[in-house]
Amino acid sequence: MAPRTVVTTALVIATTSALKVAIVGGGLSGLSAGIALRNIGCETTVFERATALKGDAGTGLTLWPNGQSALSALDAELGARIAQIGCATDYVEVTDASGTTTLPNPTGDPRRFPARYGHAMRNVRWSKLQATLATRYEELGGLVEYDRRAVDADVATGSVEFEDRDGRRHSLDGAAYDAVVGADGLHSAVRGVLVGDGAPRDAGRTIWRAVVPFSDR
């Protein structure tokens, strides 16, 4: 990678020219990183394994107030946009495995969250949040290359090897970028090379999740 003098303070970076950053993975983390980096003047390209954004990808997730505050800190536009794609949690109930015995709720009444923490506990579909982040990232001038599944990486050179759906290999030249961000998910090829801590370990917990069509009309 080309040597440059970089001085950082919080999200302020001083360089002789714009930093070029490759982001491996176009999920929530990769797109959020891209938004943050574009907002401080970096040139970014996201490399995503999917051939296109899918409207039915993932299930649902809950964005807690601190998560929404973090996204708003990355980009002032995101807070209002996220508020439009989900719904606030009004009630939380915790039970035992049988579902018949109510247990103490450590969250408390979520309706107090906006006044106390600035944001509601907001439920959103994963694909809608991804689409929202992708739209904002591209508005900021960020680039995306689809059909690029990371299969290997070289820490010494910063290069990454990708494979497309047809099995063809594509190389990311580390010398062309000042930094490479690994955000390629649970089975991350970048993490495997960088950290080398083995395959994900089963934590022994089971979570049932589903997306159910619903209308309040």
Short mmCIF file of all heavy atoms in Angstrom, two decimals, residues 12-53:
data_model
loop_
_atom_site.label_atom_id
_atom_site.label_comp_id
_atom_site.label_asym_id
_atom_site.label_seq_id
_atom_site.Cartn_x
_atom_site.Cartn_y
_atom_site.Cartn_z
N VAL A 12 -11.94 12.74 12.20
CA VAL A 12 -11.27 13.73 11.36
C VAL A 12 -9.96 13.14 10.87
O VAL A 12 -9.13 12.69 11.66
CB VAL A 12 -10.99 15.04 12.14
CG1 VAL A 12 -10.24 16.03 11.26
CG2 VAL A 12 -12.30 15.63 12.63
N ILE A 13 -9.77 13.09 9.54
CA ILE A 13 -8.56 12.51 8.97
C ILE A 13 -7.90 13.53 8.06
O ILE A 13 -8.54 14.12 7.20
CB ILE A 13 -8.87 11.23 8.17
CG1 ILE A 13 -9.44 10.16 9.11
CG2 ILE A 13 -7.63 10.71 7.48
CD1 ILE A 13 -9.76 8.87 8.42
N ALA A 14 -6.59 13.75 8.26
CA ALA A 14 -5.84 14.67 7.42
C ALA A 14 -4.88 13.86 6.57
O ALA A 14 -4.04 13.13 7.10
CB ALA A 14 -5.08 15.68 8.29
N THR A 15 -4.98 13.96 5.26
CA THR A 15 -4.09 13.25 4.35
C THR A 15 -3.75 14.15 3.19
O THR A 15 -4.37 15.19 2.97
CB THR A 15 -4.74 11.96 3.81
OG1 THR A 15 -5.83 12.34 2.96
CG2 THR A 15 -5.26 11.08 4.92
N THR A 16 -2.75 13.73 2.43
CA THR A 16 -2.38 14.50 1.25
C THR A 16 -3.38 14.29 0.14
O THR A 16 -3.47 15.09 -0.79
CB THR A 16 -0.98 14.08 0.78
OG1 THR A 16 -0.96 12.66 0.56
CG2 THR A 16 0.07 14.43 1.84
N SER A 17 -4.15 13.21 0.17
CA SER A 17 -5.21 12.94 -0.81
C SER A 17 -6.24 12.03 -0.16
O SER A 17 -6.01 11.49 0.92
CB SER A 17 -4.63 12.29 -2.07
OG SER A 17 -3.99 11.07 -1.76
N ALA A 18 -7.37 11.85 -0.84
CA ALA A 18 -8.45 11.04 -0.26
C ALA A 18 -8.00 9.60 -0.08
O ALA A 18 -7.42 8.99 -0.98
CB ALA A 18 -9.68 11.11 -1.16
N LEU A 19 -8.28 9.04 1.08
CA LEU A 19 -7.98 7.64 1.33
C LEU A 19 -8.92 6.76 0.50
O LEU A 19 -10.11 7.03 0.39
CB LEU A 19 -8.16 7.30 2.80
CG LEU A 19 -7.16 7.92 3.79
CD1 LEU A 19 -7.55 7.57 5.21
CD2 LEU A 19 -5.75 7.44 3.50
N LYS A 20 -8.39 5.69 -0.05
CA LYS A 20 -9.19 4.72 -0.81
C LYS A 20 -9.38 3.48 0.05
O LYS A 20 -8.40 2.88 0.50
CB LYS A 20 -8.50 4.37 -2.13
CG LYS A 20 -8.35 5.56 -3.07
CD LYS A 20 -7.78 5.12 -4.41
CE LYS A 20 -8.76 4.24 -5.17
NZ LYS A 20 -8.25 3.89 -6.52
N VAL A 21 -10.64 3.13 0.28
CA VAL A 21 -10.95 2.02 1.18
C VAL A 21 -11.83 1.00 0.46
O VAL A 21 -12.84 1.36 -0.15
CB VAL A 21 -11.67 2.51 2.46
CG1 VAL A 21 -11.95 1.35 3.40
CG2 VAL A 21 -10.84 3.59 3.15
N ALA A 22 -11.45 -0.27 0.55
CA ALA A 22 -12.27 -1.37 0.04
C ALA A 22 -13.00 -2.01 1.21
O ALA A 22 -12.38 -2.29 2.25
CB ALA A 22 -11.40 -2.41 -0.66
N ILE A 23 -14.29 -2.22 1.07
CA ILE A 23 -15.10 -2.81 2.13
C ILE A 23 -15.63 -4.13 1.62
O ILE A 23 -16.38 -4.19 0.64
CB ILE A 23 -16.26 -1.88 2.53
CG1 ILE A 23 -15.71 -0.53 3.00
CG2 ILE A 23 -17.12 -2.53 3.61
CD1 ILE A 23 -16.77 0.53 3.17
N VAL A 24 -15.25 -5.22 2.28
CA VAL A 24 -15.66 -6.56 1.86
C VAL A 24 -16.94 -6.92 2.61
O VAL A 24 -16.92 -7.18 3.80
CB VAL A 24 -14.54 -7.59 2.16
CG1 VAL A 24 -14.96 -8.97 1.65
CG2 VAL A 24 -13.24 -7.16 1.51
N GLY A 25 -18.05 -6.90 1.90
CA GLY A 25 -19.34 -7.20 2.51
C GLY A 25 -20.28 -6.02 2.47
O GLY A 25 -19.94 -4.93 2.96
N GLY A 26 -21.46 -6.22 1.89
CA GLY A 26 -22.43 -5.14 1.76
C GLY A 26 -23.65 -5.33 2.64
O GLY A 26 -24.76 -4.95 2.25
N GLY A 27 -23.46 -5.92 3.81
CA GLY A 27 -24.54 -6.02 4.78
C GLY A 27 -24.64 -4.74 5.59
O GLY A 27 -24.17 -3.67 5.18
N LEU A 28 -25.25 -4.82 6.77
CA LEU A 28 -25.47 -3.63 7.58
C LEU A 28 -24.15 -3.00 8.03
O LEU A 28 -24.00 -1.77 8.00
CB LEU A 28 -26.34 -3.97 8.79
CG LEU A 28 -27.67 -4.68 8.49
CD1 LEU A 28 -28.48 -4.83 9.77
CD2 LEU A 28 -28.47 -3.92 7.43
N SER A 29 -23.20 -3.82 8.44
CA SER A 29 -21.93 -3.29 8.93
C SER A 29 -21.12 -2.66 7.80
O SER A 29 -20.57 -1.56 7.96
CB SER A 29 -21.11 -4.40 9.59
OG SER A 29 -21.77 -4.92 10.72
N GLY A 30 -21.04 -3.36 6.67
CA GLY A 30 -20.26 -2.84 5.56
C GLY A 30 -20.81 -1.54 5.01
O GLY A 30 -20.06 -0.59 4.74
N LEU A 31 -22.12 -1.46 4.86
CA LEU A 31 -22.73 -0.23 4.34
C LEU A 31 -22.62 0.91 5.34
O LEU A 31 -22.40 2.07 4.95
CB LEU A 31 -24.19 -0.49 3.99
CG LEU A 31 -24.41 -1.40 2.77
CD1 LEU A 31 -25.88 -1.80 2.66
CD2 LEU A 31 -23.94 -0.73 1.48
N SER A 32 -22.76 0.60 6.63
CA SER A 32 -22.60 1.65 7.66
C SER A 32 -21.18 2.18 7.65
O SER A 32 -20.96 3.40 7.75
CB SER A 32 -22.94 1.09 9.05
OG SER A 32 -24.30 0.72 9.13
N ALA A 33 -20.21 1.28 7.51
CA ALA A 33 -18.81 1.71 7.41
C ALA A 33 -18.61 2.58 6.19
O ALA A 33 -17.92 3.61 6.23
CB ALA A 33 -17.89 0.50 7.37
N GLY A 34 -19.23 2.19 5.07
CA GLY A 34 -19.10 2.97 3.85
C GLY A 34 -19.67 4.37 4.00
O GLY A 34 -19.08 5.36 3.53
N ILE A 35 -20.82 4.48 4.65
CA ILE A 35 -21.44 5.79 4.88
C ILE A 35 -20.52 6.67 5.74
O ILE A 35 -20.29 7.85 5.43
CB ILE A 35 -22.81 5.62 5.55
CG1 ILE A 35 -23.81 5.02 4.55
CG2 ILE A 35 -23.33 6.95 6.10
CD1 ILE A 35 -25.12 4.59 5.17
N ALA A 36 -20.00 6.09 6.81
CA ALA A 36 -19.12 6.85 7.70
C ALA A 36 -17.87 7.33 6.96
O ALA A 36 -17.45 8.48 7.10
CB ALA A 36 -18.74 5.99 8.90
N LEU A 37 -17.28 6.44 6.17
CA LEU A 37 -16.06 6.80 5.46
C LEU A 37 -16.30 7.81 4.35
O LEU A 37 -15.49 8.71 4.12
CB LEU A 37 -15.41 5.52 4.89
CG LEU A 37 -14.84 4.57 5.94
CD1 LEU A 37 -14.52 3.22 5.32
CD2 LEU A 37 -13.60 5.18 6.59
N ARG A 38 -17.44 7.70 3.66
CA ARG A 38 -17.76 8.70 2.64
C ARG A 38 -17.94 10.07 3.28
O ARG A 38 -17.54 11.09 2.71
CB ARG A 38 -19.04 8.31 1.89
CG ARG A 38 -18.87 7.18 0.89
CD ARG A 38 -17.91 7.55 -0.22
NE ARG A 38 -18.35 8.73 -0.95
CZ ARG A 38 -17.53 9.53 -1.63
NH1 ARG A 38 -16.22 9.30 -1.63
NH2 ARG A 38 -18.01 10.57 -2.29
N ASN A 39 -18.52 10.11 4.47
CA ASN A 39 -18.78 11.39 5.13
C ASN A 39 -17.52 12.07 5.63
O ASN A 39 -17.56 13.25 6.01
CB ASN A 39 -19.76 11.19 6.28
CG ASN A 39 -21.21 11.24 5.82
OD1 ASN A 39 -21.55 12.00 4.92
ND2 ASN A 39 -22.07 10.44 6.42
N ILE A 40 -16.40 11.36 5.66
CA ILE A 40 -15.13 12.01 6.03
C ILE A 40 -14.20 12.09 4.82
O ILE A 40 -13.00 12.31 4.97
CB ILE A 40 -14.43 11.30 7.21
CG1 ILE A 40 -14.16 9.82 6.90
CG2 ILE A 40 -15.25 11.45 8.48
CD1 ILE A 40 -13.31 9.15 7.98
N GLY A 41 -14.77 11.89 3.62
CA GLY A 41 -14.01 12.16 2.41
C GLY A 41 -13.26 11.01 1.80
O GLY A 41 -12.50 11.21 0.84
N CYS A 42 -13.47 9.79 2.29
CA CYS A 42 -12.77 8.64 1.71
C CYS A 42 -13.45 8.18 0.43
O CYS A 42 -14.67 8.32 0.27
CB CYS A 42 -12.74 7.47 2.71
SG CYS A 42 -11.81 7.80 4.21
N GLU A 43 -12.68 7.62 -0.48
CA GLU A 43 -13.21 6.95 -1.66
C GLU A 43 -13.44 5.49 -1.29
O GLU A 43 -12.53 4.81 -0.82
CB GLU A 43 -12.24 7.07 -2.83
CG GLU A 43 -11.99 8.50 -3.28
CD GLU A 43 -11.00 8.56 -4.44
OE1 GLU A 43 -10.67 7.49 -5.00
OE2 GLU A 43 -10.56 9.67 -4.77
N THR A 44 -14.65 4.99 -1.48
CA THR A 44 -14.99 3.66 -1.00
C THR A 44 -15.63 2.81 -2.09
O THR A 44 -16.38 3.31 -2.92
CB THR A 44 -15.96 3.72 0.20
OG1 THR A 44 -17.16 4.40 -0.22
CG2 THR A 44 -15.34 4.46 1.38
N THR A 45 -15.31 1.52 -2.03
CA THR A 45 -15.99 0.53 -2.86
C THR A 45 -16.38 -0.64 -1.98
O THR A 45 -15.55 -1.18 -1.25
CB THR A 45 -15.09 0.02 -4.00
OG1 THR A 45 -14.65 1.12 -4.80
CG2 THR A 45 -15.84 -0.98 -4.88
N VAL A 46 -17.66 -1.00 -2.02
CA VAL A 46 -18.17 -2.16 -1.28
C VAL A 46 -18.22 -3.35 -2.25
O VAL A 46 -18.73 -3.23 -3.36
CB VAL A 46 -19.58 -1.88 -0.72
CG1 VAL A 46 -20.23 -3.17 -0.21
CG2 VAL A 46 -19.49 -0.86 0.41
N PHE A 47 -17.69 -4.48 -1.80
CA PHE A 47 -17.72 -5.71 -2.59
C PHE A 47 -18.70 -6.68 -1.92
O PHE A 47 -18.45 -7.15 -0.80
CB PHE A 47 -16.32 -6.32 -2.68
CG PHE A 47 -15.34 -5.46 -3.42
CD1 PHE A 47 -14.64 -4.46 -2.75
CD2 PHE A 47 -15.14 -5.63 -4.78
CE1 PHE A 47 -13.73 -3.65 -3.44
CE2 PHE A 47 -14.24 -4.82 -5.47
CZ PHE A 47 -13.54 -3.82 -4.80
N GLU A 48 -19.82 -6.96 -2.59
CA GLU A 48 -20.92 -7.73 -2.00
C GLU A 48 -21.12 -9.05 -2.74
O GLU A 48 -21.11 -9.09 -3.97
CB GLU A 48 -22.19 -6.89 -2.03
CG GLU A 48 -23.49 -7.64 -1.79
CD GLU A 48 -23.52 -8.40 -0.48
OE1 GLU A 48 -22.83 -7.98 0.48
OE2 GLU A 48 -24.24 -9.42 -0.42
N ARG A 49 -21.34 -10.13 -2.00
CA ARG A 49 -21.47 -11.45 -2.61
C ARG A 49 -22.78 -11.64 -3.39
O ARG A 49 -22.82 -12.38 -4.36
CB ARG A 49 -21.35 -12.54 -1.54
CG ARG A 49 -22.47 -12.54 -0.51
CD ARG A 49 -22.23 -13.58 0.56
NE ARG A 49 -22.20 -14.91 -0.01
CZ ARG A 49 -21.81 -16.00 0.68
NH1 ARG A 49 -21.43 -15.88 1.93
NH2 ARG A 49 -21.81 -17.17 0.10
N ALA A 50 -23.85 -10.99 -2.97
CA ALA A 50 -25.13 -11.12 -3.66
C ALA A 50 -25.05 -10.45 -5.03
O ALA A 50 -24.25 -9.53 -5.25
CB ALA A 50 -26.26 -10.50 -2.84
N THR A 51 -25.89 -10.90 -5.95
CA THR A 51 -25.92 -10.30 -7.27
C THR A 51 -26.74 -9.02 -7.29
O THR A 51 -26.65 -8.24 -8.23
CB THR A 51 -26.49 -11.29 -8.30
OG1 THR A 51 -27.78 -11.73 -7.86
CG2 THR A 51 -25.57 -12.51 -8.44
N ALA A 52 -27.54 -8.81 -6.26
CA ALA A 52 -28.36 -7.59 -6.12
C ALA A 52 -28.94 -7.58 -4.71
O ALA A 52 -28.95 -8.61 -4.02
CB ALA A 52 -29.49 -7.56 -7.14
N LEU A 53 -29.40 -6.43 -4.26
CA LEU A 53 -30.07 -6.37 -2.97
C LEU A 53 -31.40 -7.09 -3.07
O LEU A 53 -32.16 -6.90 -4.02
CB LEU A 53 -30.30 -4.92 -2.54
CG LEU A 53 -29.05 -4.06 -2.30
CD1 LEU A 53 -29.48 -2.70 -1.77
CD2 LEU A 53 -28.09 -4.72 -1.34
#
